[in-house]
Amino acid sequence: MRILVTGAAGFIGTAITRQLELAGHEWVGLDALIPEAHSATSELPDGVVAGDVREPGPWEHLLDDVDAVCHQAAMVGAGVTVADLPSYAGHNDWGTAELLAAMSRHGRDRLVLASSMVVYGEGRYECPEHGVRLTGTRSVPDLEAGHFDHFCDLCGRPLAWALVPEDAPMDPRSSYAASKLAQEHYAKAWVRQAPAAAIAIALRYHNVYGPMMPRDTPYSGVAAIFRSSLENGEAPKVFEDGGQMRDFVHVDDVARANVKALEAVAGAPAESFAAYNVASGQPIPIIEVARILAGDGPAPEVTGQFRAGDVRHVVASPERATAEIGFTAEVAPAEGIVAFRDAPLRARAG
């Protein structure tokens, strides 16, 4: 296959192009080098063309000789302020809409889309007596008082986290989350409206980490933020009580999931849209991630601070991805996070 990879110069995009080559596929890349993800001195790697998915004219000829599109170009992160809303809507929503329109103009009908666990909002919760319960947003007074967990609405007991399946309700809690869910909705609409029998797969990444993450930026992942603190000789600061459960998935596994999905859409016989969790399947609390990364350095500092839009726990079931596209993570967090302690990071973004 020959694949167009948008965002090909980014952290995840670079890993995808490497895995495509290992799998024997050809690729061409597109990247706008946005400052939230790249430093001012970043250069385009070989095989990557300068271009912005929001402005398809100059680059859309790249669609003429590809079999599928792997859409990674996006503004990422939880969002620093409300002022980031137009950037998320522009890069993620408008950019995806322009890409899908260009694909239809050029008769391309196979798409793999980078989505995120953030579309779920809070994860899945269970009461030992009353089973699965729905949760609302945690109140600021509760968070200020150090009450970080959710409680059963029927008996008041603390709720335990459970694995989130792909058919869980969508409840985005940030501007980034809203934009990722919108991307999925555009992809679903495109599948229905495209002139050919279009196929789209959305991969809902969990906490991605690994070599060449952007360092020291609010738009990066928590693992890179912890690393940046430690490199400055500072203790990594852990919000809430550190008990937040997450699934950390290595960037090489994310790249392998994209290759599996691209091979799946290439052979799919009829129009369809599907979403898959991309996760290690081995949940870990945030405090443990900080401890592993700290090693012999400054011990993590549990601050009790919080961000009102954050969720308590979100941990996925990867079973559907294994069953339907043949993806299973190969890097266990206990090993991958240890290796990440000394992995190179990208230059400061922005």
PDB file of all heavy atoms in Angstrom, residues 258-272:
ATOM      1  N   ASN A 258      -1.956   1.662  14.027  1.00  0.00           N
ATOM      2  CA  ASN A 258      -2.303   2.362  12.785  1.00  0.00           C
ATOM      3  C   ASN A 258      -2.028   1.495  11.557  1.00  0.00           C
ATOM      4  O   ASN A 258      -2.829   1.474  10.618  1.00  0.00           O
ATOM      5  CB  ASN A 258      -1.523   3.673  12.699  1.00  0.00           C
ATOM      6  CG  ASN A 258      -2.209   4.804  13.430  1.00  0.00           C
ATOM      7  OD1 ASN A 258      -3.059   5.507  12.872  1.00  0.00           O
ATOM      8  ND2 ASN A 258      -1.865   4.986  14.695  1.00  0.00           N
ATOM      9  N   VAL A 259      -0.912   0.779  11.555  1.00  0.00           N
ATOM     10  CA  VAL A 259      -0.625  -0.096  10.420  1.00  0.00           C
ATOM     11  C   VAL A 259      -1.687  -1.186  10.304  1.00  0.00           C
ATOM     12  O   VAL A 259      -2.191  -1.480   9.208  1.00  0.00           O
ATOM     13  CB  VAL A 259       0.782  -0.710  10.552  1.00  0.00           C
ATOM     14  CG1 VAL A 259       1.022  -1.740   9.447  1.00  0.00           C
ATOM     15  CG2 VAL A 259       1.844   0.387  10.492  1.00  0.00           C
ATOM     16  N   LYS A 260      -2.057  -1.785  11.443  1.00  0.00           N
ATOM     17  CA  LYS A 260      -3.111  -2.808  11.428  1.00  0.00           C
ATOM     18  C   LYS A 260      -4.427  -2.232  10.900  1.00  0.00           C
ATOM     19  O   LYS A 260      -5.131  -2.876  10.106  1.00  0.00           O
ATOM     20  CB  LYS A 260      -3.317  -3.358  12.834  1.00  0.00           C
ATOM     21  CG  LYS A 260      -2.186  -4.214  13.370  1.00  0.00           C
ATOM     22  CD  LYS A 260      -2.151  -5.563  12.685  1.00  0.00           C
ATOM     23  CE  LYS A 260      -1.169  -6.503  13.381  1.00  0.00           C
ATOM     24  NZ  LYS A 260      -1.090  -7.816  12.685  1.00  0.00           N
ATOM     25  N   ALA A 261      -4.774  -1.021  11.328  1.00  0.00           N
ATOM     26  CA  ALA A 261      -6.024  -0.404  10.887  1.00  0.00           C
ATOM     27  C   ALA A 261      -5.981  -0.082   9.399  1.00  0.00           C
ATOM     28  O   ALA A 261      -6.977  -0.255   8.678  1.00  0.00           O
ATOM     29  CB  ALA A 261      -6.296   0.856  11.703  1.00  0.00           C
ATOM     30  N   LEU A 262      -4.836   0.411   8.918  1.00  0.00           N
ATOM     31  CA  LEU A 262      -4.701   0.715   7.489  1.00  0.00           C
ATOM     32  C   LEU A 262      -4.830  -0.552   6.650  1.00  0.00           C
ATOM     33  O   LEU A 262      -5.463  -0.545   5.584  1.00  0.00           O
ATOM     34  CB  LEU A 262      -3.363   1.397   7.224  1.00  0.00           C
ATOM     35  CG  LEU A 262      -3.277   2.843   7.709  1.00  0.00           C
ATOM     36  CD1 LEU A 262      -1.827   3.287   7.824  1.00  0.00           C
ATOM     37  CD2 LEU A 262      -4.053   3.776   6.773  1.00  0.00           C
ATOM     38  N   GLU A 263      -4.258  -1.630   7.116  1.00  0.00           N
ATOM     39  CA  GLU A 263      -4.392  -2.894   6.384  1.00  0.00           C
ATOM     40  C   GLU A 263      -5.831  -3.385   6.427  1.00  0.00           C
ATOM     41  O   GLU A 263      -6.326  -3.982   5.455  1.00  0.00           O
ATOM     42  CB  GLU A 263      -3.434  -3.917   6.975  1.00  0.00           C
ATOM     43  CG  GLU A 263      -1.968  -3.579   6.705  1.00  0.00           C
ATOM     44  CD  GLU A 263      -0.983  -4.442   7.471  1.00  0.00           C
ATOM     45  OE1 GLU A 263      -1.411  -5.150   8.412  1.00  0.00           O
ATOM     46  OE2 GLU A 263       0.208  -4.410   7.115  1.00  0.00           O
ATOM     47  N   ALA A 264      -6.533  -3.092   7.523  1.00  0.00           N
ATOM     48  CA  ALA A 264      -7.935  -3.495   7.632  1.00  0.00           C
ATOM     49  C   ALA A 264      -8.819  -2.698   6.681  1.00  0.00           C
ATOM     50  O   ALA A 264      -9.686  -3.261   6.009  1.00  0.00           O
ATOM     51  CB  ALA A 264      -8.418  -3.330   9.071  1.00  0.00           C
ATOM     52  N   VAL A 265      -8.638  -1.373   6.609  1.00  0.00           N
ATOM     53  CA  VAL A 265      -9.490  -0.576   5.721  1.00  0.00           C
ATOM     54  C   VAL A 265      -9.188  -0.881   4.260  1.00  0.00           C
ATOM     55  O   VAL A 265     -10.066  -0.793   3.400  1.00  0.00           O
ATOM     56  CB  VAL A 265      -9.369   0.943   5.985  1.00  0.00           C
ATOM     57  CG1 VAL A 265      -9.838   1.300   7.374  1.00  0.00           C
ATOM     58  CG2 VAL A 265      -7.967   1.459   5.713  1.00  0.00           C
ATOM     59  N   ALA A 266      -7.945  -1.259   3.950  1.00  0.00           N
ATOM     60  CA  ALA A 266      -7.600  -1.565   2.562  1.00  0.00           C
ATOM     61  C   ALA A 266      -8.366  -2.772   2.057  1.00  0.00           C
ATOM     62  O   ALA A 266      -8.740  -2.841   0.884  1.00  0.00           O
ATOM     63  CB  ALA A 266      -6.101  -1.818   2.438  1.00  0.00           C
ATOM     64  N   GLY A 267      -8.649  -3.718   2.951  1.00  0.00           N
ATOM     65  CA  GLY A 267      -9.333  -4.927   2.527  1.00  0.00           C
ATOM     66  C   GLY A 267     -10.812  -4.970   2.860  1.00  0.00           C
ATOM     67  O   GLY A 267     -11.473  -5.975   2.590  1.00  0.00           O
ATOM     68  N   ALA A 268     -11.342  -3.885   3.448  1.00  0.00           N
ATOM     69  CA  ALA A 268     -12.755  -3.890   3.851  1.00  0.00           C
ATOM     70  C   ALA A 268     -13.662  -3.832   2.618  1.00  0.00           C
ATOM     71  O   ALA A 268     -13.412  -3.069   1.685  1.00  0.00           O
ATOM     72  CB  ALA A 268     -13.038  -2.707   4.764  1.00  0.00           C
ATOM     73  N   PRO A 269     -14.742  -4.626   2.588  1.00  0.00           N
ATOM     74  CA  PRO A 269     -15.558  -4.748   1.383  1.00  0.00           C
ATOM     75  C   PRO A 269     -16.693  -3.741   1.251  1.00  0.00           C
ATOM     76  O   PRO A 269     -17.235  -3.573   0.170  1.00  0.00           O
ATOM     77  CB  PRO A 269     -16.122  -6.165   1.499  1.00  0.00           C
ATOM     78  CG  PRO A 269     -16.252  -6.370   2.986  1.00  0.00           C
ATOM     79  CD  PRO A 269     -15.110  -5.619   3.603  1.00  0.00           C
ATOM     80  N   ALA A 270     -17.116  -3.111   2.332  1.00  0.00           N
ATOM     81  CA  ALA A 270     -18.312  -2.262   2.250  1.00  0.00           C
ATOM     82  C   ALA A 270     -18.159  -1.063   3.161  1.00  0.00           C
ATOM     83  O   ALA A 270     -17.280  -1.013   4.016  1.00  0.00           O
ATOM     84  CB  ALA A 270     -19.556  -3.069   2.650  1.00  0.00           C
ATOM     85  N   GLU A 271     -19.027  -0.062   2.967  1.00  0.00           N
ATOM     86  CA  GLU A 271     -18.905   1.161   3.758  1.00  0.00           C
ATOM     87  C   GLU A 271     -19.128   0.864   5.236  1.00  0.00           C
ATOM     88  O   GLU A 271     -20.003   0.094   5.620  1.00  0.00           O
ATOM     89  CB  GLU A 271     -19.886   2.220   3.274  1.00  0.00           C
ATOM     90  CG  GLU A 271     -21.333   1.970   3.613  1.00  0.00           C
ATOM     91  CD  GLU A 271     -22.216   3.146   3.193  1.00  0.00           C
ATOM     92  OE1 GLU A 271     -22.065   3.616   2.060  1.00  0.00           O
ATOM     93  OE2 GLU A 271     -23.064   3.557   4.013  1.00  0.00           O
ATOM     94  N   SER A 272     -18.280   1.479   6.077  1.00  0.00           N
ATOM     95  CA  SER A 272     -18.412   1.255   7.511  1.00  0.00           C
ATOM     96  C   SER A 272     -17.571   2.263   8.270  1.00  0.00           C
ATOM     97  O   SER A 272     -16.635   2.865   7.728  1.00  0.00           O
ATOM     98  CB  SER A 272     -17.953  -0.165   7.893  1.00  0.00           C
ATOM     99  OG  SER A 272     -16.568  -0.321   7.638  1.00  0.00           O
TER     100      SER A 272
END
